[in-house]
């Protein structure tokens, strides 16, 4: 009997542990007010404070560093759609709206 309980107990423990690591936050609805932010005016400060300075993505502090994930769709998918990034923190509605406008305008640098 004990041989059967132990594996199930371990499975339950790991299931609870893994689910507690998920980002438990209500998703925001990104909307753009028609503004045209650029990386250098508005976006860089968000990226620096939420992504680059946290040590997660130090290469994203430059436009060339983040350009690849904007081109392949990962930025839109992870930040705006799934909202799984940034890890261990969150974006405000204003920040996510600004990033949506940046995306809508083709992720311009300047």
């Amino acid at each position: 009997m004990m041989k059967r309980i132990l594996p199930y107990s371990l499975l339950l423990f790991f299931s609870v542990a893994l689910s507690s690591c998920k980002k438990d936050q209500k998703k925001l609805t990104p909307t753009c007010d028609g503004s045209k932010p650029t990386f250098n005016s508005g976006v860089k400060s968000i990226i620096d404070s939420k992504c680059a300075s946290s040590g997660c993505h130090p290469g994203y502090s430059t436009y060339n560093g983040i350009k690849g994930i904007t081109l392949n769709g990962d930025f839109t998918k992870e930040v705006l759609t799934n909202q799984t990034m940034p890890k261990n923190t969150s974006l405000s509605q204003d920040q996510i709206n600004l990033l949506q406008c940046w995306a809508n305008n083709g992720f311009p640098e300047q």
Side-chain angles (χ1 to χ4, degrees), residues 47 51 57 60 63-79 85 102 107:
I47 301 298
C51 313
H57 305 288
Y60 292 175
Y63 183 76
N64 285 336
I66 200 167
K67 187 176 179 181
I69 67 163
T70 63
L71 293 174
N72 71 14
D74 284 348
F75 183 88
T76 300
K77 179 183 172 190
E78 300 303 332
V79 177
M85 292 287 167
W102 186 50
F107 303 101

Side-chain angles (χ1 to χ4, degrees), residues 44-61:
K44 184 177 181 354
S45 63
I46 296 170
I47 301 298
D48 283 348
S49 69
K50 299 291 186 172
C51 313
S53 68
S54 67
C56 292
H57 305 288
Y60 292 175
S61 64

